[in-house]
Amino acid sequence: MIRKTFTLILLALAAAFNAGAQTSASELTGDVRLMIGNDLGRNGYYEQKPIAELMGKVAEAVGPDAFLALGDTHHYLGIGSVNDPLWMTNYELIYSHPELQIEWCPILGNHEYRGNTQAVIDYSGVSRRWRMPSRYYTRIFDNDGTRVKVVFMDTAPIIDKYRNDISEYPEACKQNADAQLRWLDSELSRDDNAAWTIVVGHHPIYAQTPKQKSEREDMQKRVDPILRKHKVDMYVGGHIHNFQHIRKNGIDYVTNSSASLSRQDVTATDGTVFCSGVSGFSMLTATPSSLILSMIDNTGNIIHQVSRNK
């Protein structure tokens, strides 16, 4: 009953959301609603502040259950402690809209690995909304009978580029990548009676990018076989600062753009369904019969939707 009433409220809120944009809040409805952002932290510079304001307007209209923060919340050298001022200038004072005071479910990116990664986890004891229990973990989002299982990965230690660079990424080499991969297999084997299963990580598995090919090759070799084995619905990452949707092996591989500084030059590659170099964020909405990831650009328009149906 609460959800039905809330749907009616969306119509009243949509006008505020649609100011200057064509997207309708009614396009982002679902029992489970998750906002997705990554590559955020630029001390408010570039497009971080205006996109944060847009996120707030969307959140006011749609009412997300949680925010999935897929790494690199802190550019450029990570953070030094839970008291680092970057928590204020990269996060707290930027994402201050009342409707963004929801649970944030973060993972580590490669830039966090240039600083104190344990402090990123420990910030959960400081902030009421920062909910990061460990480097990798699982959350079940359950509303009105729709269960969405999200498995959060810590991808940097799985990639040799980071594991072998002790001087720049000193904490990556200390992590047990094989243990994480065994955990991933175990988590995906567990029956949680979820309608949809999504795996998220900072680094993409398939994408077109000038970044080192070895990053994707390591993810394809070590992570992708586990995803295919368990027939997950979707893998969502970031890292390369543009939107991409690639479909392979029955799985939708999504790259979410940066919510502060995009990279404009992106072209299609094998399996590409859609790509765009604009900045922005995404909304994931789910019912028992549909799973939709909506890519939202920096003007508030939905530019592409990744849809799965049962």
Side-chain angles (χ1 to χ4, degrees), residues 225-290:
I226 301 174
L227 305 189
R228 295 201 310 269
K229 172 185 174 182
H230 296 284
K231 299 179 181 179
V232 305
D233 294 297
M234 193 178 294
Y235 176 86
V236 185
H239 184 54
I240 56 177
H241 296 221
N242 51 53
F243 286 114
Q244 295 188 47
H245 171 203
I246 292 174
R247 181 169 289 150
K248 285 177 175 284
N249 309 311
I251 298 173
D252 288 297
Y253 300 89
V254 176
T255 300
N256 194 46
S257 189
S258 168
S260 60
L261 181 64
S262 66
R263 296 190 175 101
Q264 298 290 330
D265 188 17
V266 58
T267 58
T269 187
D270 181 42
T272 296
V273 179
F274 175 83
C275 61
S276 171
V278 300
S279 56
F281 58 100
S282 292
M283 278 292 306
L284 188 77
T285 55
T287 68
S289 60
S290 70

Side-chain angles (χ1 to χ4, degrees), residues 32-51:
V32 174
R33 303 177 176 115
L34 303 172
M35 185 171 283
I36 304 175
N38 48 266
D39 301 279
L40 305 172
R42 298 280 179 174
N43 276 300
Y45 282 83
Y46 304 100
E47 295 184 272
Q48 189 184 11
K49 283 184 179 179
I51 291 178

Side-chain angles (χ1 to χ4, degrees), residues 38-40 42 69-79 107-117 120 135 153-159 161-163 165 167-172 201-204 211 215 237-241 263:
N38 48 266
D39 301 279
L40 305 172
R42 298 280 179 174
L70 304 188
D72 285 0
T73 302
H74 299 285
H75 286 78
Y76 183 66
L77 299 176
I79 49 98
I107 53 175
L108 300 168
N110 53 294
H111 285 287
E112 274 89 4
Y113 264 100
R114 299 188 69 180
N116 184 341
T117 54
V120 180
R135 293 174 187 272
M153 294 194 66
D154 180 20
T155 54
I158 293 172
I159 298 171
K161 169 185 173 179
Y162 304 105
R163 290 185 59 81
D165 191 343
S167 61
E168 193 159 340
Y169 304 98
E171 295 188 12
H202 180 65
H203 294 84
K211 286 182 176 289
E215 294 185 11
H239 184 54
I240 56 177
H241 296 221
R263 296 190 175 101

Side-chain angles (χ1 to χ4, degrees), residues 56-98:
K57 292 179 181 178
V58 173
E60 187 173 1
V62 176
D65 301 296
F67 191 112
L68 312 187
L70 304 188
D72 285 0
T73 302
H74 299 285
H75 286 78
Y76 183 66
L77 299 176
I79 49 98
S81 71
V82 295
N83 299 313
D84 195 315
L86 287 175
W87 283 109
M88 292 293 110
T89 57
N90 271 339
Y91 178 57
E92 298 287 2
L93 299 178
I94 304 296
Y95 304 100
S96 56
H97 192 284

